[in-house]
Amino acid sequence: MTDPQRPAEGPAGVERFLSPGTDNEQYLLIAGDEALIVDPRGASSLRRLQRAGRRPVGVLLTHTHWDHIDGLPYILTAWPDLPVYVHAAGVPDLPPEARTVLLTDGDRLPFGGHDLVVREAPGHHPAHIVVRRDDLLLVGDVLFAAGCGRPAGADHMLDTARSVLQIVGEAEGDPWLAFGHDYAREGLAFAALVEPDNADIAAFAAAAAERAAEGRPEPWRRLSDERRVNPFLRTAEPTVREGLQRAGRPFDPTDTDVFAALRRWRSEQ
Ligand SMILES: [Zn+2]
């Protein structure tokens, strides 16, 4: 687990930044002077690349909600032939001039001496993928700090649960997590409601409040952090199930149903 008080450095070869005036987290995977752009929001990815004099080799989209792709026109104006890596279900959301390269479950995309491994993770969005690079998991809006993405509708709850519990929750090792948004404070407030006696949640929430008061960004998190504080990865914990019971939220004792009860509760917050 990372120390909640001392910001973690995060993985090598990744630049992480918030799009100004938004809570959208953006990433550039870097290898030498080459960059792979993840989920461009507004003009900020383009500006960042140009400032550093880096050459983009592609755009990788975790999914195609507007706030993850509205930077594409800026980038494609500057580099019209840049490949845009995306799941087929997202293509209708993209500008028609985008040169799309379709990704599906198990695909490997070589970049910077690593294979980026693609897993389909629908639920929040039908085109959602998560992408693993050894020590890094690009989770987009599947998982957030102490939270998870909202299902695309009631009939997407099972997909959402599977994507969070299996695709992210059962990932091997202890990768750094690249979230699509910074929702840490809201997530931790909900987590504390579910598990009021969880000391890790209290420590992370206190550190997040301190950072927010000082205008400092949230640090990187590892999967092991989320396993200790994120209720959506803790569906088997008796304390999480007790939290649901205390709140008068009915559930069947399966991880999927506990997940669904938590997700519905969170959506009502
Ligand atoms: Zn989003």
Side-chain angles (χ1 to χ4, degrees), residues 23-24 39 62-63 65-68 124 128 140-141 144 180-181 183:
D23 54 36
N24 278 87
D39 289 359
T62 63
H63 65 298
H65 276 151
W66 69 272
D67 60 320
H68 294 253
H124 176 70
H128 215 305
D141 288 3
F144 301 124
H181 296 263
Y183 293 149

